[in-house]
Amino acid sequence: MDDDADQQHPTGAGISAHYPQRQLALALAFLTSTVHADDNSDTDSHADAETRRSAEARVARWRAVLAGIADGRLAIGSRTPVAGLPAWVTPEVVRGGFATSAASAEGPLQPYEHEAAALAGVAAERGALFAYCLTEPGLSRLYDLLDSGGYEAAVPEEAALLTVAWLARAGDAAGALELVDVLEPFADRLRFTPRPSALPAPDAEAVHRRTVGDAVTTLTGRRPNAAVEAQREALTVWQPFGDQLLAHWLETAEAGRVLERTPDSAWTERGAVLLRRYEELAAAHTRCTKHRDPKENLGILRGALAETAAGRPLDARRLGLLRHAVASMVRRRGRPGSDRHTELRTRQAVQAAQPSHHDLAQLVLRRLSGLPQETGVADVSPLVADVSAHEAHEARATPAGHTTRLPAGTPVPAAIRQVVEAALSAPIDTLVERGMVPSAEVLAELVPQLVAVAGAQSYPDEALRTLMTANYRAFRNRRSLLLSDLTGQVRVDELPWVRAVAAHRVGEDGRAPARTALRRLGELAVQAFPGTLLPNALVRELGVLARQAELDAPFVEELAADIFTGTFTPKYLAAARAAAELLGGTLYERYYAIDYAAVHDLATAEAGKPNKPGRANEAPARGRRPRSSPGFTELCAQRAEVSGGWSIASNGKIIEQAQILTTHNLATLVTRVGISPEPGWDDLAWRSFTTVCRATARIHDNPRPLSTIKDAAYAWRQLVFHLSLCEPAAQARVIAGLRGEAARHPAHVAARLAPALAGLRQAARGGAADADADAGRRLLGWTTGPHWLHPAPRT
C-alpha cells in the first residue's frame, strides 16, 4: 500500500490496454498448459486442481480489467478506478496496479456470513445482516466481539460495523450515525460484518514471517525423494528377492555349476511360488525398473526360472548367461547365508531403515496439527526436536502397505527445520539476530504488524486499540493502484471508520509509542542491512509511523525509471533539506559535488510559496491536485546532465540524483528520527563496502550487469554517508583500510573499484572526486552509455 504512489504514470501519457492484454494472453497460455498437463496425467491431485483453479481465476480477473476499460466502468490511473465506488473501498487489484471492476469485500457470501445470518434469523443477504447489526441484539453481539477480541479482518471493511458499535457504546451517537450513513449505500454489496475468530489477539511485540498453516502447506506439498525411495525399494524388496532366486538356483549346482544337479518336482513348485511372488512385488513396488531388464542378473535368473517352470529346457545361450549371472553374484557378495553375504545385507538393512526426509516431515506435520493454524508459534524448539522415545514407538503405515519407525534421537533435517522456524513469533530484533529476516524486503513484510500496534496505542480504550490494530493489518494487504498525475494512494486515515474515531485518540502520550517504534525500526533497518536501499514497503511504514508520531520526517520512495513522471513532489526537496542540515561541509557533500547551502535556500524559498501542503508525509486535501517541486526537479536534471527527450536511462540518472541529494532517507532518519546505530558509523561503513565488493564481484562475466552496477552504487552511497558521520580519525582509518578489504575479494574487484577508491581519497583530502580523471572517478549507477565498471580491467 503506497502513501505517495511508486506506481506512477506520466501525466497525459495515457494508460493503454496493452499491458492487461499481454497479461491475459500469458494467463490463458498458463491455463492451457495446466489443462494439457492434467490431461496427460494419470492422477488428478488436489495440488493440480488448485493450480488450475488459480489459473482460471487469474484469467477471469484480467478479462474483467479489459472489459471494464472497454465499457468505461474502469478509470485506470484514478484513485477511484471503479465507477460507483469511493476511494476508501478496497479495490481488487491485479499485477501492475490495474483494478478489476470488483471490490475486495464483495462477491458471494462467506461461510461466516451465512452462519451469522442463520444465528440472527435474517435472510442470507448482506443488506439484511447490516440492518440486523444496527438493532439492539445485533449491537449486543458486536459488543461481545469487541470485548473478547474474538474476530479478525481480512479486508478493512470488515472492521466498519464494529467501529459503529464502539462509537455507540462510547456515547458518540452522532459519529455512529454519520458512519452508518456513509456505509449504508454499499450495505448490499460489501462485507461490513466482522469475521469471528477463536484466536486471541496477537502479542503486541511479536511478529512472524509465516503462520503455522503456511508451514503445514509447505511440508504437505513436499513429496518423497524419488531417487532415495527407489534405492530404499532396491535394498528392501529387490535385493532380498534376488537372494531368494540365487539360493533357489544354487540348489541345482554342484561344484558351483548351475543345473549340474537335476531339479526335482519340489524345486519346480518352489520356483513357481517365487515367480508368483515376483508378479506381486512388481505390481506393488514400481520405483525400481532394473529387475525388468532381461540382461541384468535378476532378469536372467527370473527368465530362466520361468522357462524351466514352463517345462522348456534352457538352450546353450540362456544356460551360459544363467551360469555367468550366478557365478558373478556369488563372487561379488558370497553365497546367501554366508558370513560375508549376511554382513553386507545387515549393513544395507540398516541403511534402508534410516528415516527419509519425507518420513520426518510427516512427523513434524503431526506435531503442528494441534496448533492454531492462523498464527505463528512462540517456541519452535519442541516442533523441530529430535525424535522422542514415544514417537519412535509409533509405527506409520506407508502407501505401499509397509510400516516405518523413526529411531529415537533422529534429528530433524535442516530443510524441514527452516520451514518451521519461519513461523516463529518473536520480537523483530530476535528474528533479525537469528537470521530469519534475510533482507530489508523481508523486514518490510513484518513491519506492518508492529506499525499496527504502535498506531493503535494512541487510543486509550483497549477494545478500540485491538480493533484499530486489526483494521491496519488488513489495510496493509491492500494492493497499490497504478496512478497518474502524482496522485497519492489512499491512506488508512482516509477510511471512514478510522476518521470516525480520530477524535477519541489521545495527545502526547499516544505519540510516544509511534516515535519509539520509528526509531527502533530505523536503527534496525540501517544496522541489519547496510549498503542496501530501503525498500518502498519499508519506507511507507516508516512514513506511517512518522505521521502517527507527528514528526515532520519526509520519507521518500524509490521511483521506477520506466514510469517516472519527470517531476518530484515537495517532500523530496524537504528530504534534501534534512540532508543539507546534516551533511553540509562533509565528505558526502564534497564527493558528490553538492552545494547543500543552495539546496537549503531552494527548500526555504519553495516552502514560502502559497498553497503549500502541510507536513511532508501528509496527503493533499480532497480535490486539490498535488503540486510538484519544480526547483528540485530542475536541480536533479541539471546534475544528471539530462536535457529534453525521454528514456529509461535518462530517467534513472535523474532519479539517482534525487537519491543522492536526499540520501534516500538516511539523513531523515538521523536528523528527524534521531537514530544512533549501535555498532557505530565506522562499522556500518565497513559493512557497506563489503556489500559494494560483493556486488562488484557479480559484474564479472555478467552479460547484463547494469542492475548489479546500480546495486554497487547504492551501497557505495551508503558507504560515503556513513563515513561522513564518522569522527575524523575513524574516517581516515576506514578509508585507509578499504584497499586492503577490496584485496580480499577476487582480483578483478579491486581493479574495478580502484578509480572509485581514488576518487574517495581525493574527496577526503578536500578535493573533488574526479579532480584527476585518470585516477579518481565518482561511482554512480545510471548511465546513458557504457559504464566504466563493466569492461574487465587489467589485473
Side-chain angles (χ1 to χ4, degrees):
M1 204 12 255
D2 297 297
D3 293 322
D4 287 286
D6 57 316
Q7 300 191 80
Q8 286 283 345
H9 201 279
T11 303
I15 299 175
S16 73
H18 294 315
Y19 182 83
Q21 285 170 346
R22 174 169 172 74
Q23 292 301 316
L24 175 59
L26 292 173
L28 285 168
F30 181 74
L31 176 60
T32 301
S33 68
T34 60
V35 171
H36 287 169
D38 187 52
D39 290 342
N40 295 328
S41 175
D42 295 331
T43 61
D44 183 16
S45 69
H46 176 72
D48 292 336
E50 282 296 318
T51 299
R52 190 167 58 254
R53 281 193 291 270
S54 176
E56 290 170 347
R58 182 180 169 194
V59 168
R61 287 194 294 269
W62 282 113
R63 280 178 170 159
V65 170
L66 287 168
I69 294 174
D71 62 20
R73 285 178 295 131
L74 285 178
I76 304 299
S78 168
R79 286 178 110 230
T80 54
V82 183
L85 291 182
W88 56 262
V89 172
T90 306
E92 183 183 62
V93 179
V94 292
R95 184 177 182 178
F98 285 83
T100 70
S101 56
S104 294
E106 65 178 329
L109 262 66
Q110 300 287 305
Y112 83 89
E113 292 178 292
H114 282 287
E115 185 177 348
L119 288 173
V122 300
E125 299 172 351
R126 291 203 170 108
L129 271 174
F130 185 89
Y132 170 77
C133 287
L134 301 179
T135 66
E136 187 172 342
L139 286 171
S140 179
R141 291 186 180 181
L142 293 176
Y143 296 155
D144 290 341
L145 285 176
L146 283 170
D147 292 335
S148 67
Y151 58 87
E152 59 184 351
V155 291
E157 286 83 346
E158 293 174 7
L161 279 173
L162 279 172
T163 308
V164 171
W166 187 90
L167 289 166
R169 190 169 65 174
D172 189 353
L177 291 174
E178 183 179 350
L179 179 55
V180 168
D181 288 342
V182 174
L183 302 176
E184 196 163 25
F186 309 97
D188 290 329
R189 184 174 178 179
L190 304 179
R191 296 193 305 273
F192 292 128
T193 50
R195 183 185 298 257
S197 171
L199 297 175
D203 185 343
E205 284 292 315
V207 296
H208 52 271
R209 285 191 62 190
R210 301 288 183 265
T211 65
V212 172
D214 292 334
V216 167
T217 299
T218 301
L219 293 178
T220 301
R222 294 196 172 188
R223 297 290 178 261
N225 185 294
V228 171
E229 295 307 315
Q231 182 185 32
R232 190 189 307 278
E233 182 180 284
L235 293 176
T236 59
V237 176
W238 297 114
Q239 287 191 359
F241 179 75
D243 292 341
Q244 293 175 26
L245 275 183
L246 176 60
H248 188 65
W249 278 112
L250 286 173
E251 292 180 18
T252 69
E254 290 183 356
R257 289 178 61 81
V258 174
L259 286 180
E260 286 293 320
R261 179 183 299 164
T262 304
D264 55 23
S265 59
W267 183 92
T268 303
E269 290 176 3
R270 291 196 301 276
V273 171
L274 284 174
L275 290 173
R276 290 194 296 273
R277 174 64 176 154
Y278 171 80
E279 296 300 330
E280 294 171 357
L281 291 176
H285 303 281
T286 59
R287 295 185 182 277
C288 291
T289 57
K290 191 175 180 180
H291 60 87
R292 299 183 185 277
D293 188 343
K295 297 180 181 180
E296 293 289 335
N297 287 341
L298 183 56
I300 293 171
L301 267 59
R302 178 181 58 83
L305 184 59
E307 290 291 307
T308 304
R312 293 187 292 270
L314 300 181
D315 58 29
R317 176 179 175 280
R318 187 179 287 276
L319 180 59
L321 288 173
L322 173 64
R323 286 175 171 171
H324 180 271
V326 170
S328 65
M329 293 171 75
V330 171
R331 183 172 59 253
R332 289 177 58 191
R333 304 182 185 89
R335 296 177 66 95
S338 67
D339 290 344
R340 181 160 70 98
H341 186 276
T342 300
E343 181 183 355
L344 172 64
R345 293 302 188 226
T346 299
R347 289 200 310 269
Q348 291 176 336
V350 171
Q351 178 184 349
Q354 292 296 319
S356 68
H357 281 205
H358 183 258
D359 293 330
L360 289 164
Q362 299 305 304
L363 169 66
V364 173
L365 279 171
R366 294 196 293 276
R367 292 173 175 176
L368 291 168
S369 62
L371 299 176
Q373 302 295 292
E374 297 85 359
T375 65
V377 59
D379 185 8
V380 299
S381 54
L383 302 173
V384 295
D386 296 349
V387 177
S388 68
H390 173 72
E391 291 167 332
H393 285 85
E394 292 181 344
R396 183 179 69 85
T398 67
H402 300 290
T403 59
T404 61
R405 294 183 185 276
L406 301 175
T410 303
V412 173
I416 298 174
R417 286 202 312 271
Q418 290 168 1
V419 173
V420 179
E421 287 169 350
L424 174 65
S425 182
I428 198 165
D429 314 69
T430 301
L431 298 186
V432 171
E433 289 172 5
R434 295 189 181 185
M436 295 177 189
V437 182
S439 68
E441 286 75 17
V442 174
L443 177 65
E445 294 175 8
L446 303 178
V447 167
Q449 299 178 53
L450 295 180
V451 175
V453 174
Q457 295 304 309
S458 60
Y459 300 100
D461 182 80
E462 182 178 355
L464 185 55
R465 284 199 301 270
T466 302
L467 176 58
M468 289 297 104
T469 298
N471 173 76
Y472 186 84
R473 285 176 168 163
F475 179 77
R476 272 320 187 199
N477 293 327
R478 178 174 174 140
R479 299 186 65 180
S480 300
L481 286 166
L482 177 62
L483 297 174
S484 60
D485 296 328
L486 295 177
T487 308
Q489 300 280 348
V490 172
R491 296 208 313 243
V492 68
D493 51 14
E494 295 181 67
L495 302 183
W497 45 98
V498 176
R499 290 204 310 268
V501 296
H504 298 273
R505 303 179 71 157
V506 295
E508 179 64 32
D509 291 343
R511 295 192 291 270
R515 291 180 178 177
T516 300
L518 178 58
R519 186 178 303 110
R520 174 188 174 193
L521 290 174
E523 290 179 346
L524 185 62
V526 172
Q527 291 171 196
F529 310 107
T532 302
L533 200 70
L534 297 182
N536 282 350
L538 180 57
V539 171
R540 291 190 290 269
E541 298 302 328
L542 294 174
V544 170
L545 285 171
R547 288 193 299 275
Q548 293 172 353
E550 298 186 12
L551 288 178
D552 188 6
F555 288 103
V556 295
E557 293 82 5
E558 180 186 16
L559 302 176
D562 57 342
I563 54 176
F564 178 50
T565 63
T567 188
F568 297 94
T569 57
K571 72 175 181 178
Y572 283 82
L573 181 54
R577 179 175 185 170
E581 295 170 2
L582 178 68
L583 297 171
T586 67
L587 171 65
Y588 190 95
E589 184 180 41
R590 291 194 301 276
Y591 181 84
Y592 287 109
I594 303 169
D595 184 352
Y596 268 134
V599 171
H600 188 278
D601 292 343
L602 175 63
T604 302
E606 287 203 0
K609 292 180 180 179
N611 196 33
K612 63 181 184 296
R615 295 183 181 274
N617 284 289
E618 289 181 355
R622 283 186 172 185
R624 180 188 298 168
R625 179 172 172 169
R627 92 179 153 79
S628 63
S629 174
F632 184 75
T633 302
E634 182 180 358
L635 176 61
C636 292
Q638 288 175 350
R639 288 178 54 81
E641 299 180 348
V642 171
S643 59
W646 184 96
S647 72
I648 292 177
S650 296
N651 286 351
K653 291 181 67 176
I654 295 172
I655 292 170
E656 182 173 30
Q657 289 301 321
Q659 292 176 337
I660 289 171
L661 291 170
T662 64
T663 72
H664 196 70
N665 302 303
L666 294 179
T668 295
L669 285 170
V670 174
T671 62
R672 301 293 191 266
V673 179
I675 70 166
S676 179
E678 195 170 297
W681 298 111
D682 54 341
D683 177 82
L684 293 179
W686 274 113
R687 292 164 62 201
S688 294
F689 186 66
T690 300
T691 303
V692 172
C693 293
R694 289 173 179 167
T696 305
R698 297 197 302 272
I699 298 173
H700 196 62
D701 291 334
N702 187 342
R704 297 183 177 179
L706 295 183
S707 63
T708 305
I709 291 174
K710 286 184 287 183
D711 290 340
Y714 294 153
W716 182 268
R717 187 172 67 244
Q718 293 202 19
L719 159 70
V720 179
F721 176 87
H722 297 322
L723 281 173
S724 299
L725 299 187
C726 289
E727 294 294 331
Q731 181 185 107
R733 184 173 61 253
V734 173
I735 292 176
L738 293 181
R739 186 182 298 175
E741 173 64 20
R744 294 179 56 249
H745 297 267
H748 70 87
V749 171
R752 291 180 196 276
L753 292 176
L757 289 170
L760 182 63
R761 290 194 296 272
Q762 290 170 187
R765 291 194 294 265
D770 55 355
D772 183 355
D774 294 331
R777 304 198 66 157
R778 187 176 295 113
L779 178 52
L780 302 175
W782 282 92
T783 178
T784 52
H787 199 287
W788 56 268
L789 268 182
H790 184 217
R794 294 180 180 180
T795 58

